[in-house]
Amino acid sequence: MNLFLIELKFAILALRYRIGFAMTIILTLGVTLGALITMFALNHTLLVKPLPYPKYDRLVTTNFSVAISDKTKTTTDSLRANLPGLEFLYKNQTQFTKLAIFGYKRQYLTDHSEQPYLKGQFSSPEYFELLNVPLYKGRFFSDKEGLGTKIPNVVLSYDTWKTYFNAEEDIIGRNIQLDSVRYTVIGITAKDFKEPDFRKVETNYWVPWEYHNYTDKQKSNWGDFKNTIGGLGLLSSKQNKTVTETTLSSLINNEFQQFNNIGLPITVGINLVPLKTLLVGDSKESAIILLISVIGLLLIACVNITNMFFSRATEKQHNLAIQAAMGAKRKQIYLSIFVECLILTSLASAFSLIVAKWGIELLQIMGSDHFNRLDELDLTPPVLIFTFAISICLSAIFAYLSNGLINYQALKKHLQNSGKGSGLQISKKSRSILVISQVALASLLLSGSTVILEKSLSIINYPLGFNSENIISIELYDKSKIAKDKKNRQHLISTIENRLTKMPQITHFSPSTSPPSVSQKQWHVRDSLDNTLGVFQVNQVSSNYFEAIQVPLVSGRTFTKEEVRDGDNVALVSRSAAKLITPDGNAIGKRIYYGPPKQSVSSKIIGIVDDIYSPGADNSKAGFALYTPYDAKELHFLARVDEGQTLTKRQLISALQEIDPQIRILDYSTVREIYKRRIKQSELIAGISTALAFLALTLTSIGVYGVLSYSAQMRKYEMGVRMAIGAKMKQVRRLVIVDSMTPIGLGLLISTIASFFLYWWAYQNFEVLAETKGATLLICPPIILLITLVACYFPVEKIIKNDPIKALRNE
Amino acid sequence: MNKEIKIQLTEISKVFYTDEIETHALRGINLSIYAGDYLTITGPSGCGKSTLLSILGLLDSPTSGKYIIEDEDVSSLTVDQRAVIRNKKIGFIFQAFNLIDELNIFDNVALPLRYRQPSLSAEETKERVLSCLEQVQMSHRANHSPNQVSGGQQQRVAIARALVGFPTMLLVDEPTGNLDSKNGDAVMDMLAELNENGTTICMVTHDPRYAGMAKTQLHLSDGVLLNDLELGETA
């Protein structure tokens, strides 16, 4: 310990004179290690850290699956069920120790002055028990608030209680009104409750299951599968998931077949998805890819730092020789190197924790749409232990590598040379290995980043197919329920249109079910022979929709106002969809069919429009779209404003208030904003991959420059001799650069082969790469080659531009 | 009066192998160094002086032969075992001083004690370092760094460092090579004074004037110890 402290003192004294060296290592290692710690924290939270629920490893969700003629329809929804099926399962299953059913809904807190639109859940009492929801005060639902009873009680979240009820302690027992129903507050969840992030919304309140507000028709519709309701069950410790799945599927399918009035050979099953798997979702792949990327980055940084420690070892050789002469043993000399490495890596680790803290905050801001459990990210004890362990490991590795450079037998010569000779040198082999590994790692990382970037940019830059500028998407909610029937809704829409089109800035007013490229509905479309043509995204639009969003009509015509008003069975399809219907794309006059066979609806195609790109949709780029007349079910419309003009929300509210004071705006966004939200994840990934590529290239440039600069210094005398005997500058330059190119070429060869193999493997295993081209990988070697050529050129140029005598004198 | 033999080399040879060439640096060296000896080794460049000094200082091992320090055979020790003997029994003084610039003079002198096991207490270390610095009249510069003092003073610090571990023998390699004549003389006077007080010294030098100050002069030529020139009292 004593010797350790002495070496510590000596190392600090030595580093005091090498601030540049120390700072370079601290910054390089600190930034890359910070990135690694951030990604470690993310992966640890997502993949390792237990969920904050008891027996979480036995909690599963019951997702309904549907198979038509043995073809199971896969879904990416986190929840999926039909209402009668879910209730039947709840009442009849015997497999789970406990089963909770729940769903999501939104309601206005009508007796609050701001009338906020709150996010709520309707759930059976078991929900709170299974998740062990901590209680701040009051109680949760008991059996008396279970299925079949309608007691209007409500549980509020801690934040909701604080935000909308001023954290009033006497809230329990008080009545509040959600839409038209008055509920009694019976409990407040504790502040630290983290609800499962099924739908990426924070629940404001919970009401008993029976307050789901579905109609009797919906309650008995076995064909209506929703992604807003689901079940959460607890398996017993001895229960096999697959066996339970089979038993439950059989139970639910037998019941389903009794009510199957759809007319298709449908089989319903139940997939049990572990809660943890569900909550991690597809973010697992991204988290692992990010972790691998930052490991690559750290490796490049480590190669650079190894090179710096090598240089330091050569510089330190004199002191080490003195220490050896004074009787220092090999392990004591190793300790002296290790302590210096430890100080630097410890400082770098301390700095990396600051970087990681920033990284985590950045990730929480930017990655919340993609990653779950981000609020749990922090510099937790496992993260700190990881940092400490990696700091020690890196110190040991750097010290080991530097120590390997020391030839103990040669140390004595250094002392006896009395300053003569060149002393310890980094061998050509070591230098070549450094360059090969730097180039190979950087090239691999660059290749990976480029492929991911290509995928992200293909989403971001794909032409939308319509003019998204100056269009505002507006969704309304008619609280007075005056528009309960279609005629009233049509009248309301017409009134709104008349009022808004009087506003000078609005050029188009066009009702539709959803904004362009954000269709929520997908229909299986068939031909007259009942052959499936494909899955089309459906939007119900008005007659001027295509004019409003400026999508050209390819052939035929658009809807007339009368067709929209009467809900005629006519349709428009996109160009790509038309080609699915008829190979020549001339689908005008053809009939298409959709809906259950027994209730099949047929529409005649009257027009074909250009494709609209819908980022994020399964067949996003194909643009298979079906347009039917607007049925006025949703109070949604688009308003195009004149170039340079604006339509503020306040102006809109004021105009709407004139029509009906009860009308509320549910959503007010520009179409550009909606599009931006949809490509946010791609932009995030593009940003991260660009940053990774940039960092990899920068680190490699610095590292290769460092090694080649050292090599050039080693050959300074040789270059001087060559020039002295008449070699021209370009001959010397060519000689040195060609020699340096050997390890660079080898590194590129290794990385090119490795990256093609990795790409091939990833292409087979990751769907995300499906639309990328391996040819992108060919861009990377020339980029690395160019950068390394520049890194080769400058150190040589610095030597040969001077008189040969300077090189001969080693000046 | 019979003196105690401190160092004994018997038929020491050192051969360097490079590719297919064998270079015999030392051939059958027999040498006894007694307590209180002051011995110089002279010879032309490449005669094997440095190799002999390396073997004497346990910085290198002989190819064959026997090397005994104070009755302990050190001919075939491991690297670490040699480090322990070097630390306890050998004090080095180099031509280029070989002080560590980052450490102050006190820490430079204390360096051999840092590697000593069992380790000395801080008090004892301080006492011994200051005593040695006092001996070479450098105690007033204990907190300075080596590059703040002259070459002659640096060599005095190096002498103090060589003495601090109470070694069996001082191995001195061209101690005046990097000094002017005034400082060189001062260093040589100091070595002579140390020898008079009982320190055993073995010195390699080119300078016949300084070689003449030793009690015993050895001449090395082509790896062979040619003659012993007895200039003073020997056993």
Side-chain angles (χ1 to χ4, degrees):
Chain A
M1 192 61 190
N2 188 31
L3 190 64
F4 180 84
L5 292 175
I6 290 161
E7 291 298 348
L8 195 65
K9 176 186 164 187
F10 289 176
I12 291 167
L13 285 170
L15 290 174
R16 263 192 350 188
Y17 297 103
R18 288 164 188 83
I19 296 293
F21 164 78
M23 288 307 290
T24 309
I25 288 180
I26 291 167
L27 290 177
T28 310
L29 192 58
V31 170
T32 48
L33 192 55
L36 178 68
I37 293 167
T38 308
M39 289 308 138
F40 172 82
L42 177 68
N43 279 271
H44 179 265
T45 304
L46 289 180
L47 310 179
V48 181
K49 193 176 173 185
L51 296 176
Y53 315 117
K55 300 172 189 165
Y56 71 90
D57 51 335
R58 290 196 269 127
L59 284 175
V60 292
T61 57
T62 56
N63 282 17
F64 284 38
S65 63
V66 181
I68 305 171
S69 303
D70 295 334
K71 285 184 183 169
T72 305
K73 185 183 183 311
T74 55
T75 173
T76 52
D77 295 333
S78 54
L79 298 175
R80 186 175 169 81
N82 61 38
L83 201 71
L86 195 61
E87 287 191 350
F88 174 80
L89 187 73
Y90 178 79
K91 289 170 186 165
N92 296 285
Q93 70 83 25
T94 52
Q95 300 293 308
F96 294 115
T97 309
K98 260 190 178 41
L99 174 67
I101 55 174
F102 59 95
Y104 291 85
K105 64 191 268 182
R106 296 190 70 171
Q107 286 177 298
Y108 283 94
L109 182 60
T110 38
D111 56 356
H112 190 276
S113 59
E114 293 169 16
Q115 299 203 343
Y117 196 44
L118 301 184
K119 297 155 195 160
Q121 275 189 47
F122 44 94
S123 61
S124 66
E126 295 83 358
Y127 179 87
F128 301 94
E129 203 178 327
L130 285 176
L131 296 175
N132 194 27
V133 182
L135 189 66
Y136 173 71
K137 63 164 55 187
R139 65 171 181 90
F140 294 129
F141 302 146
S142 62
D143 289 346
K144 67 178 181 182
E145 282 110 354
L147 265 69
T149 58
K150 241 183 155 178
I151 300 174
N153 286 339
V154 64
V155 172
L156 299 175
S157 77
Y158 185 88
D159 282 343
T160 307
W161 169 63
K162 217 173 151 189
T163 309
Y164 299 111
F165 299 97
N166 302 319
E168 288 162 13
E169 292 294 338
D170 58 350
I171 187 80
I172 303 297
R174 194 192 295 178
N175 287 335
I176 64 166
Q177 187 162 334
L178 291 163
D179 280 355
S180 55
V181 181
R182 290 194 72 76
Y183 293 89
T184 305
V185 178
I186 61 164
I188 312 285
T189 61
K191 192 181 176 183
D192 57 350
F193 170 51
K194 292 183 194 308
E195 63 174 302
D197 216 353
F198 291 121
R199 292 183 58 82
K200 297 190 185 299
V201 292
E202 277 182 32
T203 304
N204 298 113
Y205 65 89
W206 288 263
V207 292
W209 170 264
E210 295 294 348
Y211 287 91
H212 49 57
N213 285 3
Y214 289 122
T215 60
D216 288 343
K217 192 181 167 190
Q218 285 173 313
K219 280 172 76 175
S220 59
N221 188 352
W222 282 78
D224 185 9
F225 290 90
K226 299 176 184 300
N227 61 5
T228 51
I229 56 174
L232 179 69
L234 176 68
L235 292 169
S236 76
S237 55
K238 290 173 186 168
Q239 217 165 350
N240 180 290
K241 182 172 147 290
T242 315
V243 174
T244 312
E245 260 176 356
T246 312
T247 312
L248 291 176
S249 293
S250 168
L251 177 75
I252 201 79
N253 190 50
N254 287 342
E255 190 69 10
F256 174 78
Q257 296 309 332
Q258 292 181 36
F259 297 92
N260 180 7
N261 55 356
I262 299 170
L264 283 174
I266 291 178
T267 311
V268 175
I270 287 188
N271 291 331
L272 298 182
V273 186
L275 186 60
K276 189 157 188 188
T277 309
L278 190 90
L279 294 184
V280 171
D282 58 358
S283 60
K284 180 181 171 182
E285 273 180 16
S286 313
I288 292 174
I289 289 173
L290 280 173
L291 181 67
I292 293 170
S293 302
V294 292
I295 287 174
L297 207 59
L298 180 71
L299 284 176
I300 297 174
C302 284
V303 174
N304 288 1
I305 291 164
T306 303
N307 184 41
M308 293 182 73
F309 275 121
F310 276 5
S311 302
R312 173 74 183 123
T314 60
E315 185 201 2
K316 214 180 165 190
Q317 181 209 15
H318 179 73
N319 290 355
L320 297 178
I322 295 169
Q323 286 171 277
M326 296 302 118
K329 295 179 193 168
R330 289 173 75 106
K331 68 174 183 188
Q332 288 167 328
I333 287 183
Y334 175 79
L335 182 69
S336 134
I337 299 170
F338 174 74
V339 168
E340 197 167 292
C341 295
L342 185 65
I343 290 173
L344 291 171
T345 49
S346 300
L347 289 173
S349 300
F351 177 55
S352 71
L353 288 175
I354 298 171
V355 174
K357 189 80 184 161
W358 294 336
I360 285 170
E361 281 175 19
L362 193 66
L363 200 60
Q364 284 169 333
I365 294 166
M366 298 181 70
S368 56
D369 287 343
H370 187 58
F371 296 109
N372 281 322
R373 302 182 72 188
L374 283 187
D375 56 332
E376 292 176 48
L377 278 193
D378 206 352
L379 298 178
T380 52
V383 176
L384 294 176
I385 290 168
F386 171 77
T387 308
F388 177 74
I390 207 157
S391 166
I392 298 289
C393 285
L394 285 177
S395 305
I397 291 168
F398 291 139
Y400 176 79
L401 292 174
S402 303
N403 193 50
L405 202 67
I406 307 291
N407 180 349
Y408 288 88
Q409 294 301 325
L411 282 179
K412 67 178 192 298
K413 287 183 186 161
H414 188 84
L415 293 176
Q416 290 169 339
N417 279 337
S418 305
K420 294 179 284 190
S422 53
L424 182 69
Q425 290 178 5
I426 303 171
S427 70
K428 192 177 176 186
K429 189 179 158 195
S430 301
R431 280 181 271 140
S432 296
I433 291 172
L434 284 176
V435 172
I436 291 169
S437 47
Q438 272 167 333
V439 169
L441 280 167
S443 185
L444 264 177
L445 195 55
L446 188 64
S447 301
S449 304
T450 311
V451 170
I452 295 168
L453 186 63
E454 182 202 356
K455 166 74 183 172
S456 306
L457 289 181
S458 74
I459 294 171
I460 296 166
N461 295 330
Y462 200 83
L464 270 175
F466 68 98
N467 182 1
S468 63
E469 300 298 332
N470 305 316
I471 313 178
I472 300 162
S473 163
I474 299 150
E475 191 177 0
L476 303 178
Y477 175 77
D478 178 33
K479 200 160 74 68
S480 65
K481 307 275 185 189
I482 58 162
K484 273 189 175 170
D485 62 63
K486 187 174 175 182
K487 275 196 176 172
N488 276 343
R489 285 197 303 273
Q490 282 178 334
H491 176 70
L492 179 64
I493 285 284
S494 172
T495 314
I496 293 169
E497 181 174 7
N498 286 338
R499 173 64 190 88
L500 294 188
T501 46
K502 280 181 190 159
M503 297 173 87
Q505 63 268 51
I506 294 179
T507 61
H508 291 84
F509 174 90
S510 177
S512 65
T513 313
S514 54
S517 80
V518 195
S519 175
Q520 302 288 332
K521 286 183 187 170
Q522 292 189 341
W523 287 353
H524 288 262
V525 176
R526 303 184 302 278
D527 62 13
S528 55
L529 300 171
D530 212 24
N531 297 316
T532 300
L533 295 167
V535 179
F536 290 11
Q537 292 187 53
V538 183
N539 199 359
Q540 288 157 330
V541 302
S542 52
S543 56
N544 67 343
Y545 177 78
F546 300 105
E547 189 190 330
I549 63 170
Q550 295 177 9
V551 169
L553 191 67
V554 176
S555 60
R557 61 172 179 84
T558 183
F559 305 125
T560 61
K561 284 191 174 178
E562 289 71 30
E563 283 167 341
V564 173
R565 184 196 61 208
D566 301 338
D568 286 358
N569 289 335
V570 285
L572 279 91
V573 291
S574 65
R575 191 196 290 264
S576 298
K579 283 181 183 164
L580 283 182
I581 296 163
T582 57
D584 62 358
N586 187 13
I588 304 288
K590 305 273 178 196
R591 294 204 81 87
I592 51 171
Y593 300 82
Y594 40 86
K598 287 180 184 171
Q599 302 157 12
S600 188
V601 177
S602 137
S603 288
K604 183 183 170 188
I605 297 169
I606 57 164
I608 298 168
V609 289
D610 245 350
D611 289 341
I612 285 180
Y613 169 46
S614 176
D618 291 346
N619 54 5
S620 53
K621 284 182 188 166
F624 304 140
L626 169 66
Y627 301 95
T628 57
Y630 174 66
D631 64 0
K633 273 186 184 167
E634 315 280 341
L635 290 177
H636 173 267
F637 58 87
L638 301 176
R640 178 177 279 284
V641 296
D642 231 347
E643 187 81 32
Q645 299 278 318
T646 51
L647 172 66
T648 64
K649 197 173 177 182
R650 187 174 292 277
Q651 287 171 326
L652 186 66
I653 291 170
S654 152
L656 292 170
Q657 294 283 309
E658 290 172 20
I659 300 164
D660 180 359
Q662 301 281 38
I663 290 180
R664 305 246 173 264
I665 297 174
L666 268 184
D667 185 51
Y668 171 94
S669 315
T670 66
V671 169
R672 200 70 206 160
E673 283 168 355
I674 295 169
Y675 168 70
K676 279 276 179 194
R677 281 202 291 269
R678 290 181 76 86
I679 60 166
K680 192 179 166 190
Q681 185 186 328
S682 298
E683 284 183 328
L684 173 73
I685 293 169
I688 290 173
S689 50
T690 307
L692 280 172
F694 177 75
L695 268 172
L697 284 178
T698 309
L699 287 171
T700 304
S701 310
I702 295 167
V704 170
Y705 177 83
V707 179
L708 296 182
S709 178
Y710 179 81
S711 300
Q713 284 299 321
M714 292 295 103
R715 297 183 72 174
K716 197 174 182 180
Y717 184 76
E718 177 206 332
M719 283 189 255
V721 172
R722 285 177 189 276
M723 286 192 292
I725 60 172
K728 291 177 187 166
M729 274 172 72
K730 67 176 182 184
Q731 290 170 317
V732 177
R733 187 186 298 127
R734 192 172 57 218
L735 174 85
V736 179
I737 290 178
V738 167
D739 279 0
S740 305
M741 279 295 126
T742 308
I744 290 171
L746 200 57
L748 282 177
L749 183 70
I750 292 169
S751 65
T752 306
I753 294 169
S755 55
F756 271 102
F757 269 108
L758 280 173
Y759 177 77
W760 176 79
W761 174 79
Y763 191 84
Q764 308 286 329
N765 292 285
F766 295 101
E767 204 178 316
V768 72
L769 296 180
E771 288 174 34
T772 59
K773 300 176 189 72
T776 316
L777 300 174
L778 294 172
I779 300 168
C780 305
I783 294 174
I784 297 275
L785 193 65
L786 185 69
I787 284 169
T788 46
L789 263 175
V790 173
C792 282
Y793 176 81
F794 284 106
V796 181
E797 205 60 16
K798 221 162 78 179
I799 294 167
I800 62 175
K801 75 178 181 188
N802 289 318
D803 291 334
I805 192 67
K806 289 193 172 176
L808 286 170
R809 285 179 186 156
N810 214 21
E811 285 176 3
Chain B
M1 189 173 71
N2 280 337
K3 281 194 175 177
E4 179 194 354
I5 294 181
K6 291 282 181 186
I7 305 280
Q8 188 159 30
L9 301 182
T10 311
E11 290 298 318
I12 289 289
S13 296
K14 180 70 183 178
V15 185
F16 292 107
Y17 299 92
T18 47
D19 294 331
E20 293 171 358
I21 303 164
E22 281 185 16
T23 307
H24 290 261
L26 297 173
R27 301 164 189 264
I29 299 288
N30 291 299
L31 174 66
S32 297
I33 301 175
Y34 297 89
D37 256 1
Y38 188 171
L39 190 106
T40 58
I41 301 168
T42 58
S45 188
C47 69
K49 296 191 301 289
S50 294
T51 308
L52 179 57
L53 202 69
S54 295
I55 289 172
L56 281 169
L58 291 172
L59 292 171
D60 204 350
S61 339
T63 309
S64 63
K66 204 171 196 182
Y67 179 15
I68 291 171
I69 301 179
E70 293 184 323
D71 300 329
E72 186 179 355
D73 188 348
V74 296
S75 322
S76 52
L77 297 179
T78 63
V79 174
D80 279 349
Q81 285 168 332
R82 290 211 300 268
V84 173
I85 304 287
R86 206 158 53 230
N87 180 261
K88 285 185 177 165
K89 299 188 175 178
I90 313 280
F92 282 101
I93 299 168
F94 301 99
Q95 177 183 344
F97 325 133
N98 285 334
L99 299 174
I100 296 176
D101 291 338
E102 290 91 357
L103 306 182
N104 64 22
I105 285 170
F106 181 94
D107 284 330
N108 264 288
V109 175
L111 199 59
L113 303 181
R114 307 290 188 205
Y115 299 118
R116 183 148 296 188
Q117 284 172 333
S119 57
L120 275 62
S121 68
E123 271 308 303
E124 198 177 349
T125 301
K126 188 179 174 187
E127 195 180 308
R128 279 169 73 163
V129 169
L130 290 178
S131 159
C132 289
L133 282 172
E134 193 70 48
Q135 212 174 334
V136 297
Q137 294 152 24
M138 285 298 292
S139 55
H140 62 296
R141 296 286 201 150
N143 292 322
H144 288 68
S145 69
N147 53 25
Q148 288 176 309
V149 299
S150 70
Q153 287 176 315
Q154 284 191 43
Q155 195 59 297
R156 276 150 62 188
V157 174
I159 292 170
R161 183 180 63 186
L163 293 171
V164 78
F166 299 156
T168 305
M169 175 176 63
L170 288 188
L171 289 178
V172 189
D173 187 5
E174 298 281 8
T176 59
N178 284 12
L179 300 175
D180 57 28
S181 58
K182 187 183 165 196
N183 276 311
D185 290 348
V187 166
M188 291 310 296
D189 288 345
M190 194 167 282
L191 287 175
E193 192 183 329
L194 285 170
N195 180 247
E196 277 167 26
N197 293 332
T199 308
T200 308
I201 298 172
C202 177
M203 180 170 75
V204 164
T205 181
H206 273 106
D207 195 326
R209 193 162 57 97
Y210 294 137
M213 292 171 73
K215 295 171 182 171
T216 306
Q217 289 178 47
L218 301 175
H219 190 75
L220 201 59
S221 179
D222 290 334
V224 178
L225 216 46
L226 289 179
N227 53 347
D228 290 2
L229 301 176
E230 291 192 284
L231 299 177
E233 183 191 349
T234 57

